[in-house]
Amino acid sequence: MALFSVVIPVFKSTKSLGMIVSELNAINAEKGFQFEIIFVNDSPFFLDTGVFLERLKKKYNNIKVLTLRKNQGQHIATLVGLSQASGDYIITMDDDLQHPVQEIPKMINAMHSNSHTEGIFAIPNYRERKHSLWRSAGSYVFKKIDLIFLDKPKGLVLSSFRIMTKDLASATVNSYNAMPAVSSLMLNCSNNLKNIKVEHNSREFGKTNYTFPKLMTLAINGILYYSSLPLRILGVIGIIGFLGSMLFIFSIVIRKLMIDIDFPGYASTVSLISFFGGLNLFAFGIIGEYLIRIIREQQKPKLADLVK
């Protein structure tokens, strides 16, 4: 029987955790799935969470608690959980009950229905999302950013409610960087990803920790860490600027020789400014190309992770 590891990053949560465990164990009893529940405590300074997790660990024998030394953020916490998961398949979900536990069997069945699929992102219908208006608008913008900058397949929507094979989880962990985004790492490792539609619940406890500035930071990190397109654009601008400056200098020289410019020193001054301005833009383009190769080197996967 396959083992399913459920990785849940935890930040200042208590009440919702007991409900998640109860629902997972109910599915275990009803469907016969074997779950390993991994809570990654990303709020070690919040004593209530630590105490509650230890209580759950003592009560249930299928719970593993990992406590980080300091707050690292959801994505690092998720990667820590992935690295410690022993299941044949790994499921990740949030700790706020907006990801319905009862939809997990649907995700498992979807994985089993296609042997080529390595990962599935479970998403709600857009109209059924229970996020605030600004959060939904932000999500729409981030989807467009992913499509343009991350070379994401058209139609694929990323989500923190996902299931993946053990091999893909291992490849994802091995390719992480200083500012990781788990879904983006999965995109870098595999094209065998798809979506399924699931329900989406309202948040029952507390409020979201993703403020607008945090979401903007995530978007910027996604562009800078997982895409070389901004550097490519800078390189193209540099080359165009340099060629344009050469043409402008040529035209100034022609005018000086053929028409005679009335202002003394105009031709030499403008030519020097154009030349060095264009040279600077060209240098930026060259530097950008070197940085692209550094990024590619940093993102280089292990050879063993390239084979399914």
Side-chain angles (χ1 to χ4, degrees):
M1 179 183 296
L3 174 65
F4 298 91
S5 296
V6 183
V7 175
I8 306 172
V10 179
F11 186 78
K12 292 185 177 181
S13 298
T14 51
K15 297 179 181 179
S16 60
L17 306 182
M19 297 176 65
I20 290 173
V21 172
S22 296
E23 292 181 18
L24 281 171
N25 286 333
I27 293 174
N28 190 7
E30 179 182 351
K31 304 289 187 179
F33 296 129
Q34 186 178 357
F35 290 118
E36 171 192 52
I37 306 172
I38 302 176
F39 288 114
V40 185
N41 184 6
D42 194 32
S43 52
F45 54 86
F46 193 69
L47 297 180
D48 289 350
T49 295
V51 170
F52 194 84
L53 286 174
E54 287 301 318
R55 191 183 305 158
L56 286 175
K57 183 179 178 181
K58 291 179 180 179
K59 185 176 180 180
Y60 301 97
N61 58 11
N62 63 334
I63 289 180
K64 182 186 297 184
V65 176
L66 306 174
T67 302
L68 304 185
R69 289 189 173 91
K70 59 179 291 187
N71 173 245
Q72 298 285 355
Q74 181 183 14
H75 293 280
I76 287 287
T78 301
L79 287 171
V80 170
L82 292 178
S83 69
Q84 298 296 316
S86 54
D88 303 290
Y89 298 91
I90 295 93
I91 299 162
T92 69
M93 61 185 298
D94 293 346
D95 63 347
D96 56 9
L97 292 174
Q98 287 195 284
H99 294 158
V101 176
Q102 63 269 19
E103 295 284 21
I104 288 179
K106 183 177 181 180
M107 298 165 64
I108 294 173
N109 292 333
M111 282 291 291
H112 287 162
S113 64
N114 190 334
S115 60
H116 297 293
T117 301
E118 293 186 277
I120 292 176
F121 298 100
I123 60 171
N125 289 318
Y126 183 77
R127 295 181 179 179
E128 295 178 1
R129 294 175 66 91
K130 300 300 192 298
H131 290 316
S132 61
L133 180 61
W134 72 266
R135 177 73 183 274
S136 297
S139 297
Y140 176 79
V141 172
F142 296 149
K143 289 176 187 175
K144 294 300 182 182
I145 290 175
D146 290 343
L147 183 62
I148 295 172
F149 289 98
L150 301 186
D151 196 26
K152 180 173 66 68
K154 190 173 182 179
L156 183 68
V157 179
L158 307 183
S159 168
S160 58
F161 194 23
R162 54 203 161 213
I163 182 172
M164 68 191 83
T165 62
K166 176 69 173 178
D167 288 343
L168 179 56
S170 177
T172 300
V173 170
N174 288 336
S175 62
Y176 87 99
N177 51 48
M179 299 290 289
V182 177
S183 296
S184 298
L185 290 170
M186 292 172 64
L187 277 175
N188 282 345
C189 293
S190 176
N191 287 327
N192 301 317
L193 307 171
K194 70 176 187 178
N195 287 129
I196 62 168
K197 296 293 181 66
V198 297
E199 295 180 6
H200 192 245
N201 295 334
S202 299
R203 189 183 182 96
E204 294 192 30
F205 304 103
K207 60 181 181 179
T208 180
N209 296 299
Y210 280 104
T211 60
F212 183 74
K214 286 185 178 180
L215 290 173
M216 287 300 299
T217 300
L218 286 174
I220 293 171
N221 287 336
I223 294 173
L224 296 181
Y225 273 88
Y226 300 99
S227 174
S228 59
L229 183 58
L231 289 174
R232 291 288 186 191
I233 294 173
L234 182 62
V236 171
I237 292 174
I239 293 173
I240 292 175
F242 181 73
L243 294 177
S245 68
M246 294 297 100
L247 291 175
F248 183 68
I249 292 171
F250 181 73
S251 68
I252 291 295
V253 172
I254 295 299
R255 288 173 59 193
K256 176 67 176 176
L257 297 176
M258 300 296 186
I259 304 174
D260 191 20
I261 299 175
D262 295 332
F263 301 102
Y266 173 82
S268 59
T269 301
V270 171
S271 298
L272 287 172
I273 291 174
S274 299
F275 175 76
F276 285 108
L279 187 62
N280 284 333
L281 288 174
F282 184 69
F284 283 140
I286 296 297
I287 292 171
E289 289 298 317
Y290 278 107
L291 290 175
I292 288 171
R293 282 150 182 78
I294 292 173
I295 291 172
R296 290 285 181 260
E297 186 69 21
Q298 182 265 330
Q299 294 177 337
K300 180 176 65 177
K302 294 183 178 180
L303 296 179
D305 295 333
L306 298 179
V307 182
K308 183 177 177 181

